[in-house]
C-alpha cells in the first residue's frame, strides 16, 4: 500500500512506498518534452534524493512517443543489515550419538557424551552489530543489533573468556540455554537395545537389570538395582548390585574398588578392594586384593582368592562339593601358570627330540655326501617343525612373564568360618595347602610354622 501521494506538479507526480524505501514517478498527460532535469527537480521538491535510478529517468526521457503515463520506480533506498545474534559453538558432541555403520556389535548403539575435568565444552561467538539503511528521502533506517547469547554455565561448569569448561568428569548436558556436567548417567530401566552397551567416564546407575551379552563400563561407580546376568561390568570405582549376579559362567564383574552384591552364582568377579556378598557365593570365581566376605551365607564350589582374609558362615556343603579358598594367591592365575609351565615343558621336550633328529640327519649328510629323497623330506619337515615349536615356546614364555598370581602377603591373613567348614575344601596360603577331610565348626584357618592350621574360634 502506498502513502504520501503528492498532487501532480508540472510534469508528473511522486508517490512513496509505506516504508519510504521506494519512490515512484508517474508522468502527467500532455507533456511531450521531458528532460532529466525536470524529473530530478520534481523528485527533489518531494524530498526524494537518495537511491535515484538514472536508468529509469533515461528511459522516461527517451521514450517520447510511447505511453509514458505508467508508474515507474525511480528511487530505491538502502536496506538496513540486521545484526547477528551471538551463538554457542560446541567443542564436543552433547547429544548421544547413534552408531549403526560397519560391523559393530548390534548392542553398540549409543555413545554417551562424556567429558573430562578441565575440558573446553563450548565457546560463545560475540554478537555482530547491525548496519543502518537509508530510505529514498535520505533518512536513516535503523537496524537491529545482534543480541548476546542466552547460554549460561550450569552445574559443574565454569565460564571464562567466552568459553565454558567442565569442572569434573561426567556427562555433558545442554537444556534450556544452560550447559551442565552431570557426574552420573542414569538408565531408568533395563539395559537393552535402546540403550546399547554403556561406556561412560563418570558413574552409571541402572534402575533395572543387565541381561546376558551387554557391557557396562564406567570411569566411576556402577550401581545396578536389579539382576546382572551373563554381562560384563567394568568400573574404575566400585560396583553395587542390589539383587545379585546369575552369570551362567559368562559374566565378568571387575572393579578397581569394592564389589557388593546380594549373591553370586556362576560369576567371575575381580575387585581391587573387597568383595562383599550378603547371601551366598555359588560356583563362582572371585578375586579380591583385600578381602572376601559372605557373613550370612555360604561359599559352595568355585575358587575364592583374597589378599588378606576370607570370611563366610559356611564353606563347602554336605555333598563335599570341591571348593577352593586361597589367601595371598589368585588360584585361577596360579592354575593357569601351572598349566602353562606343563605346556612349556612338553614343548621343550618336543624341541629336544627334533633337534636330535636334525643333528643325526646332518651327520649322515656329511658322511654320505647327501641324503635320499625320503631323508630330505624328513629334514625339511624337521626344520619347519623346529621353527614352529620355537615360536610356541616363545609365546608360552611371554604368557608366563605377564602372569602374576600374588595378590597380598600372608602376614595376619586368615580364613574365618563362623558356621560349618565342610570336607573337600582346599585351604591355601601361598604355597601351603591343606584340604579338609571332615566337617569343622566355628573355625579360623591360618598359617603357623609353614603349616596350615585349623583352630576353634
Amino acid at each position: 500500500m502506498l502513502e504520501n501521494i503528492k498532487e501532480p506538479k508540472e510534469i508528473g507526480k511522486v508517490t512513496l512506498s509505506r516504508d519510504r524505501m521506494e519512490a515512484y514517478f508517474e508522468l502527467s498527460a500532455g507533456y511531450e518534452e521531458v528532460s532529466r532535469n525536470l524529473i530530478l527537480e520534481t523528485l527533489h521538491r518531494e524530498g526524494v534524493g537518495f537511491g535515484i535510478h538514472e536508468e529509469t529517468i533515461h528511459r522516461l526521457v527517451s521514450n517520447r512517443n510511447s505511453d509514458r503515463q505508467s508508474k515507474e520506480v525511480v528511487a530505491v533506498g538502502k536496506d538496513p543489515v540486521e545484526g547477528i545474534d551471538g551463538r554457542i559453538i560446541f567443542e564436543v558432541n552433547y547429544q548421544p550419538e547413534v552408531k549403526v555403520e560397519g560391523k559393530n556389535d548390534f548392542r553398540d548403539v549409543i555413545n554417551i557424551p562424556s567429558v573430562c575435568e578441565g575440558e573446553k565444552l563450548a565457546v560463545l561467538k560475540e554478537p555482530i552489530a547491525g548496519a543502518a539503511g537509508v530510505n529514498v528521502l535520505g533518512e536513516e533506517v535503523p537496524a537491529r543489533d545482534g543480541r548476546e547469547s542466552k547460554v549460561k554455565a550450569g552445574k559443574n561448569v565454569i565460564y571464562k573468556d567466552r568459553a565454558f569448561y567442565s569442572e569434573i568428569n561426567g556427562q555433558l548436558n545442554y537444556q534450556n540455554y544452560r550447559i551442565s556436567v552431570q557426574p552420573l548417567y542414569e538408565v531408568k530401566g533395563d539395559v537393552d537395545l535402546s540403550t546399547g552397551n554403556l561406556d561412560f567416564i563418570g558413574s552409571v546407575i541402572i534402575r533395572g537389570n543387565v541381561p546376558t551379552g551387554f557391557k557396562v563400563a564406567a570411569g566411576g561407580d556402577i550401581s545396578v538395582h536389579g539382576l546382572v546376568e551373563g554381562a560384563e561390568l567394568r568400573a574404575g570405582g566400585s560396583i553395587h548390585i542390589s539383587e545379585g549376579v546369575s552369570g551362567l559362567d559368562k559374566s565378568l564383574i571387575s572393579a578397581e574398588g569394592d564389589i557388593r552384591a546380594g549373591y553370586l552364582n556362576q560369576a567371575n568377579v575381580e575387585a581391587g578392594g573387597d568383595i562383599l556378598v550378603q547371601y551366598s557365593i555359588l560356583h563362582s570365581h572371585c578375586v579380591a586384593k583385600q578381602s572376601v566376605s559372605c557373613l550370612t551365607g555360604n561359599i559352595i564350589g568355585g575358587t575364592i582368592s583374597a589378599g588378606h582374609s576370607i570370611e563366610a558362615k559356611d564353606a563347602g556343603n554336605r555333598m563335599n562339593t570341591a571348593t577352593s579358598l586361597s589367601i595371598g594367591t589368585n588360584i585361577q592365575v596360579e592354575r593357569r601358570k601351572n598349566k602353562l609351565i606343563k605346556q612349556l615343558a612338553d614343548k621343550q621336550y618336543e624341541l629336544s627330540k627334533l633337534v636330535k633328529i636334525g643333528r643325526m640327519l646332518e651327520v649322515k649328510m656329511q658322511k654320505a655326501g647327501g641324503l635320499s629323497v625320503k631323508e630330505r623330506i624328513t629334514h625339511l619337515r624337521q626344520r619347519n617343525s623346529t621353527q614352529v615349536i620355537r615360536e610356541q615356546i616363545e609365546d608360552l614364555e611371554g604368557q608366563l612373564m605377564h602372569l602374576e598370581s600374588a595378590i597380598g602377603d600372608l602376614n595376619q591373613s586368615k580364613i574365618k568360618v563362623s558356621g560349618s567348614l565342610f570336607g573337600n575344601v582346599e585351604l591355601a596360603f601361598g604355597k601351603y595347602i591343606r584340604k579338609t577331610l571332615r566337617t569343622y565348626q566355628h573355625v579360623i584357618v591360618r598359617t603357623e610354622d609353614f603349616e596350615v592350621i585349623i583352630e576353634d574360634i
Side-chain angles (χ1 to χ4, degrees):
M1 183 179 292
L2 307 176
E3 68 175 3
N4 298 334
I5 301 177
K6 307 296 181 182
E7 294 295 330
K9 290 186 178 181
E10 298 179 355
I11 65 171
K13 64 178 180 180
V14 177
T15 54
L16 305 180
S17 62
R18 180 179 295 275
D19 60 5
R20 298 182 178 181
M21 295 301 290
E22 289 185 346
Y24 309 93
F25 185 81
E26 185 177 359
L27 284 171
S28 299
Y31 283 91
E32 294 293 335
E33 298 294 334
V34 178
S35 68
R36 173 179 178 276
N37 288 337
L38 286 174
I39 293 175
L40 290 176
E41 288 177 5
T42 303
L43 291 172
H44 291 162
R45 276 199 300 272
E46 302 303 327
V48 177
F50 181 84
I52 295 174
H53 283 191
E54 290 289 346
E55 298 85 353
T56 302
I57 294 175
H58 178 72
R59 187 168 64 253
L60 290 170
V61 172
S62 301
N63 298 341
R64 301 180 193 178
N65 299 321
S66 62
D67 181 6
R68 296 177 299 184
Q69 294 185 28
S70 62
K71 194 178 295 184
E72 299 276 359
V73 178
V74 292
V76 177
K78 177 184 177 183
D79 290 325
V81 177
E82 297 295 322
I84 299 175
D85 291 341
R87 59 193 179 96
I88 185 169
I89 298 178
F90 281 90
E91 299 283 326
V92 295
N93 180 31
Y94 66 89
Q95 293 180 331
E97 180 181 358
V98 178
K99 294 183 177 181
V100 294
E101 299 177 356
K103 297 182 180 179
N104 293 334
D105 187 326
F106 69 97
R107 298 178 181 88
D108 288 327
V109 293
I110 290 188
N111 180 26
I112 301 170
S114 303
V115 296
C116 300
E117 180 182 353
E119 185 173 357
K120 183 188 286 188
L121 308 178
V123 294
L124 282 184
K125 289 294 183 182
E126 292 187 2
I128 299 175
V134 182
N135 63 25
V136 294
L137 302 181
E139 300 168 338
E140 182 179 290
V141 180
R144 183 186 69 83
D145 289 334
R147 294 184 289 258
E148 275 283 3
S149 172
K150 297 179 181 179
V151 179
K152 303 294 182 184
K155 187 177 181 180
N156 301 317
V157 173
I158 58 172
Y159 178 70
K160 180 181 179 182
D161 298 330
R162 302 194 67 83
F164 296 90
Y165 298 88
S166 176
E167 292 186 304
I168 63 170
N169 295 338
Q171 176 194 3
L172 176 61
N173 183 268
Y174 177 53
Q175 278 187 320
N176 300 324
Y177 300 103
R178 193 171 294 274
I179 300 175
S180 60
V181 176
Q182 304 297 334
L184 184 70
Y185 182 80
E186 181 176 1
V187 177
K188 296 186 182 299
D190 295 345
V191 172
D192 55 25
L193 293 181
S194 67
T195 64
N197 295 332
L198 304 177
D199 190 349
F200 183 51
I201 198 170
S203 296
V204 174
I205 182 169
I206 298 166
R207 300 291 180 184
N209 305 316
V210 185
T212 298
F214 283 92
K215 299 178 182 179
V216 179
D221 300 334
I222 297 175
S223 178
V224 181
H225 285 211
L227 171 71
V228 175
E229 296 179 342
E232 181 177 324
L233 274 61
R234 294 183 180 274
S238 297
I239 295 177
H240 178 84
I241 304 168
S242 296
E243 288 193 22
V245 180
S246 183
L248 306 172
D249 207 26
K250 297 178 181 179
S251 64
L252 175 58
I253 315 299
S254 176
E256 293 185 19
D258 298 337
I259 296 177
R260 296 172 179 265
Y263 66 88
L264 300 176
N265 186 4
Q266 291 183 296
N268 297 288
V269 183
E270 299 179 3
D274 299 325
I275 295 176
L276 302 112
V277 179
Q278 183 175 3
Y279 300 114
S280 58
I281 302 176
L282 307 176
H283 308 288
S284 297
H285 303 293
C286 302
V287 180
K289 287 189 176 180
Q290 298 299 321
S291 65
V292 177
S293 297
C294 186
L295 300 181
T296 61
N298 51 5
I299 299 174
I300 300 174
T303 59
I304 309 297
S305 303
H308 299 295
S309 67
I310 299 173
E311 295 188 47
K313 180 182 178 183
D314 298 324
N317 61 7
R318 290 184 175 84
M319 302 296 294
N320 290 335
T321 300
T323 304
S324 296
L325 308 180
S326 174
I327 297 293
T329 302
N330 184 332
I331 296 178
Q332 290 290 90
V333 174
E334 190 65 22
R335 289 176 178 175
R336 173 65 177 160
K337 282 177 65 176
N338 292 337
K339 184 177 180 180
L340 288 174
I341 290 170
K342 184 179 183 307
Q343 290 176 348
L344 181 60
D346 291 342
K347 292 298 179 183
Q348 288 171 337
Y349 178 69
E350 288 182 46
L351 179 61
S352 66
K353 290 197 300 182
L354 287 169
V355 170
K356 185 177 181 180
I357 293 171
R359 288 173 180 169
M360 291 172 57
L361 290 170
E362 289 172 0
V363 170
K364 186 172 183 178
M365 183 171 57
Q366 291 174 357
K367 289 182 178 181
L371 298 173
S372 66
V373 174
K374 185 177 180 180
E375 288 171 335
R376 287 200 299 270
I377 293 173
T378 301
H379 194 205
L380 179 62
R381 288 176 177 173
Q382 179 270 336
R383 286 190 297 177
N384 290 338
S385 297
T386 299
Q387 179 62 31
V388 171
I389 293 294
R390 290 187 190 278
E391 291 175 357
Q392 291 174 343
I393 289 174
E394 184 178 347
D395 179 61
L396 290 169
E397 289 175 340
Q399 292 185 55
L400 279 168
M401 187 180 300
H402 290 91
L403 285 180
E404 177 54 62
S405 60
I407 54 175
D409 58 62
L410 303 181
N411 296 329
Q412 306 300 319
S413 297
K414 66 178 181 179
I415 297 173
K416 181 179 179 181
V417 180
S418 60
S420 300
L421 173 61
F422 292 96
N424 203 27
V425 175
E426 182 181 88
L427 307 167
F429 287 76
K431 64 181 180 180
Y432 307 110
I433 300 173
R434 177 175 175 177
K435 183 174 289 188
T436 58
L437 301 177
R438 64 180 181 86
T439 299
Y440 297 83
Q441 299 292 333
H442 320 301
V443 295
I444 287 179
V445 185
R446 59 185 179 84
T447 57
E448 184 177 292
D449 297 330
F450 311 111
E451 290 186 28
V452 176
I453 63 172
I454 303 174
E455 57 187 16
D456 294 336
I457 295 176

